Amino acid sequence: MNPFEFEFMQRAFVACAVIAAVAPLVGSFIVQRGQSLVGDGMGHVAFAGVGLAFLVGADPVLGALACTVLAGLLLVRMGRAGLAGDLAIALIFYGGIAVGYLFASRAQAGQSRLVGLLFGSPLNLTWPEVGVIVGLALAVVAVVVALYPRLVAMAFDEEAARVAGVPTDRMVLALTVMVAMVVVGGMSSIGLLLISAMMVVPVAAAAQLASSYRGALVLASAIGGASAVVGLLVAHYRDYAPGSAIVLVAIACYLAATAWRGVTRRALA
Amino acid sequence: MASAATGAPLAAPPAAPLELDGVSFAYGRSKVLSDVSLRVAQGEFVAVVGSNGSGKTTLMKLGLGLLPAGSGHVRLFGEELSSFRAWWQVGYVPQRATASSTIPVSVEEVVVSGLAARTRLIRRRSPGEAARIDHVVELLGLEGLRRSRLSELSGGQQQRALIARALVTGPKLLVLDEPTTGVDAEARSVLRKSLQHLVEVEGMAVVYVSHDPEGFSGLAQRVVEVVGGRTPVDSGRSSLREVATG
């Protein structure tokens, strides 16, 4: 049975492959800045937006996008004021998921719908929803391409970049908004709790193999996209949860890349 | 104003690349620097020394706008820091033992990142920028390492790459914070020759922050010692003291 023959699978392949290929582009900068868990936290905050949207009868994507962008702006302002400590960030993130579930339960949103948003339900996507995901992904790619030299300079050494004239505050803001866009884009396909893995794991895998930042970005994007396709195929043939299968394939890529690097290092020694 | 001998108007003296005037700074209630002044002239090599925690790095961060001064004035090339925009004139090599990078980054990418603020969307690198990249790579002895992964180089090679990044815009002021930390003897020698060339040939002003005089002896025209360090809030005071050059 060829999964590409089914339209629901075609939609799932397009949505998951696109967002999983774009997520590492943003992830590379947060990983380099030592903020690998920011995407996870943003997923928690997005859930508050989803819950609020259910409560007032709005589009969950808009609710999640509004909440994550607002949380991003708040985090940037707290960072500037020296208030973005570990505890303050944890309060925002955990508060987000608690408020989200409170709102969603008050709105009597179905459990399966909530689980689908937390862990992904790509097989239920419609073409307009796929269009929104592709639109968000293209916007993120455009921003990364436009700001690439400045984002690299800031991610590698923020103080030196500031002295070189890079507007680092604005770059942090742009990066935070991009994280929010990826989280929202991945919400209904890979899941709010799993999309952050696609920002980090493909980057970690590519870092084992590449010798330049640009090379690592391209490779991470390829690993992300390929993990989505292979993960969906595994999920289709083995009847696994798609979001989990995608992330586990990405983790397998990381383990394989680490093993490969170990072998080549020993061979060169 | 006119010259007494010729009657011709006198040219204004060139603005100092770095000038701190009565600057104070405290971390919370802990005073680090109080009413400190320092002027670095064009083409001057000034070494800033002092014991650990004396406030050397804080002083330079104030001078570069990385920390806000509690009081006093900071000027770069005669302009107040708040209105200064010509950051390409300033090169900065922060204090670090090694260049850490989770994601692989090549030597060339590190050097080119120094041009990030001047890079525009869909604009190819200008011939001038390409020539400047080649020049600093050659000056720091990195020709054969351009495509090498930074994290796989020695501490000295990494430090040279970071200095090349600071030089790639063609700055007129170079600030180095503990540049020889974790650097081997050969790299120190390359660094000395490079700094000598920058001051004597390119007329650059250099501020060299270090607790180790070996790196700047014979190069520094002035040695300034930060005295006092972190001191009690009520009575503390840091000051700068000129020290005879080696």
Side-chain angles (χ1 to χ4, degrees):
Chain A
M1 200 165 39
N2 182 358
F4 294 98
E5 287 176 0
F6 303 109
E7 200 174 340
F8 69 90
M9 284 301 289
Q10 292 169 7
R11 289 194 290 265
F13 277 118
V14 171
C16 292
V18 166
I19 202 69
V22 168
L25 299 181
V26 178
S28 71
F29 301 111
I30 60 172
V31 167
Q32 179 60 27
R33 283 168 55 79
Q35 298 175 327
S36 298
L37 292 173
V38 159
D40 189 46
M42 284 297 213
H44 288 51
V45 173
F47 192 62
V50 169
L52 185 63
F54 283 150
L55 196 63
V56 300
D59 186 338
V61 171
L62 285 179
L65 194 59
C67 258
T68 47
V69 169
L70 280 174
L73 294 173
L74 181 65
L75 285 173
V76 170
R77 286 191 76 87
M78 284 170 62
R80 280 181 198 160
L83 299 173
D86 194 39
L87 189 60
I89 293 173
L91 283 172
I92 292 174
F93 290 165
Y94 295 132
I97 202 155
V99 166
Y101 192 64
L102 183 76
F103 286 160
S105 57
R106 297 284 297 169
Q108 296 184 325
Q111 291 292 323
S112 63
R113 200 173 175 195
L114 294 179
V115 170
L117 288 169
L118 288 172
F119 298 101
S121 57
L123 308 184
N124 296 328
L125 290 169
T126 62
W127 279 119
E129 287 171 335
V130 174
V132 170
I133 291 168
V134 172
L136 284 168
L138 288 176
V140 168
V141 170
V143 176
V144 169
V145 169
L147 302 180
Y148 178 76
R150 295 171 191 213
L151 287 169
V152 171
M154 180 194 67
F156 182 64
D157 189 336
E158 188 164 342
E159 283 196 340
R162 269 178 71 184
V163 174
V166 173
T168 51
D169 283 351
R170 272 184 267 166
M171 292 302 110
V172 171
L173 184 59
L175 188 54
T176 309
V177 171
M178 284 195 291
V179 170
M181 290 166 78
V182 169
V183 166
V184 174
M187 180 172 73
S188 46
S189 52
I190 295 173
L192 281 176
L193 295 183
L194 293 173
I195 184 61
S196 61
M198 298 311 290
M199 285 194 239
V200 175
V201 180
V203 174
Q208 306 299 316
L209 306 172
S211 58
S212 69
Y213 206 105
R214 191 180 292 265
L217 241 68
V218 172
L219 189 56
S221 180
I223 290 171
S227 297
V229 173
V230 174
L232 277 175
L233 287 172
V234 171
H236 176 76
Y237 286 114
R238 306 291 300 177
D239 197 22
Y240 291 163
S244 301
I246 290 168
V247 172
L248 288 173
V249 169
I251 290 173
C253 288
Y254 168 74
L255 295 175
T258 306
W260 174 257
R261 187 160 187 227
V263 168
T264 52
R265 274 190 161 180
R266 271 197 293 277
L268 289 171
Chain B
M1 195 191 296
S3 159
T6 63
L10 284 175
L18 176 63
E19 195 174 4
L20 295 105
D21 185 7
V23 167
S24 301
F25 181 78
Y27 286 105
R29 296 186 63 190
S30 174
K31 218 177 252 185
V32 179
L33 296 165
S34 180
D35 195 22
V36 168
S37 296
L38 173 69
R39 188 177 191 277
V40 179
Q42 189 65 51
E44 192 178 26
F45 190 125
V46 176
V48 177
V49 299
S51 56
N52 282 340
S54 61
K56 305 185 297 289
T57 295
T58 301
L59 182 69
M60 283 308 104
K61 287 190 173 183
L62 290 169
L64 296 169
L66 293 171
L67 288 173
S71 62
H73 294 274
V74 178
R75 294 180 200 93
L76 288 168
F77 299 92
E79 237 179 289
E80 288 290 335
L81 202 57
S82 55
S83 57
F84 185 73
R85 294 288 175 270
W87 286 104
W88 63 268
Q89 295 191 86
V90 183
Y92 175 49
V93 183
Q95 179 181 8
R96 66 186 63 236
T98 55
S100 64
S101 179
T102 311
I103 299 175
V105 60
S106 70
V107 168
E108 179 154 342
E109 284 176 317
V110 170
V111 176
V112 171
S113 74
L115 291 167
R118 306 179 86 187
T119 306
R120 295 285 175 269
L121 180 60
I122 316 175
R123 198 207 77 174
R124 292 182 71 83
R125 198 175 294 159
S126 74
E129 286 170 345
R132 185 74 200 169
I133 292 165
D134 291 343
H135 172 66
V136 295
V137 164
E138 190 185 340
L139 181 70
L140 274 305
L142 296 166
E143 298 98 321
L145 301 172
R146 287 176 85 130
R147 297 197 188 284
S148 300
R149 203 171 155 152
L150 188 74
S151 59
E152 291 175 354
L153 303 184
S154 69
Q157 289 168 329
Q158 290 184 4
Q159 193 69 317
R160 275 148 55 193
L162 299 182
I163 294 170
R165 176 187 62 184
L167 294 176
V168 76
T169 57
K172 294 174 181 167
L173 168 66
L174 177 64
V175 178
L176 305 120
D177 195 352
E178 302 284 4
T180 52
T181 302
V183 168
D184 57 43
E186 187 196 345
R188 285 173 188 237
S189 168
V190 173
L191 180 58
R192 281 182 69 86
K193 283 179 192 158
S194 306
L195 291 175
Q196 195 164 10
H197 171 88
L198 292 170
V199 174
E200 292 175 2
V201 179
E202 301 196 16
M204 194 177 289
V206 174
V207 182
Y208 190 109
V209 179
S210 180
H211 65 276
D212 173 19
E214 191 195 325
F216 58 79
S217 63
L219 291 172
Q221 294 150 6
R222 268 201 300 152
V223 178
V224 174
E225 184 180 4
V226 182
V227 183
R230 288 170 190 271
T231 46
V233 177
D234 52 352
S235 60
R237 181 182 169 88
S238 283
S239 62
L240 296 182
R241 188 171 71 191
E242 293 275 340
V243 179
T245 54

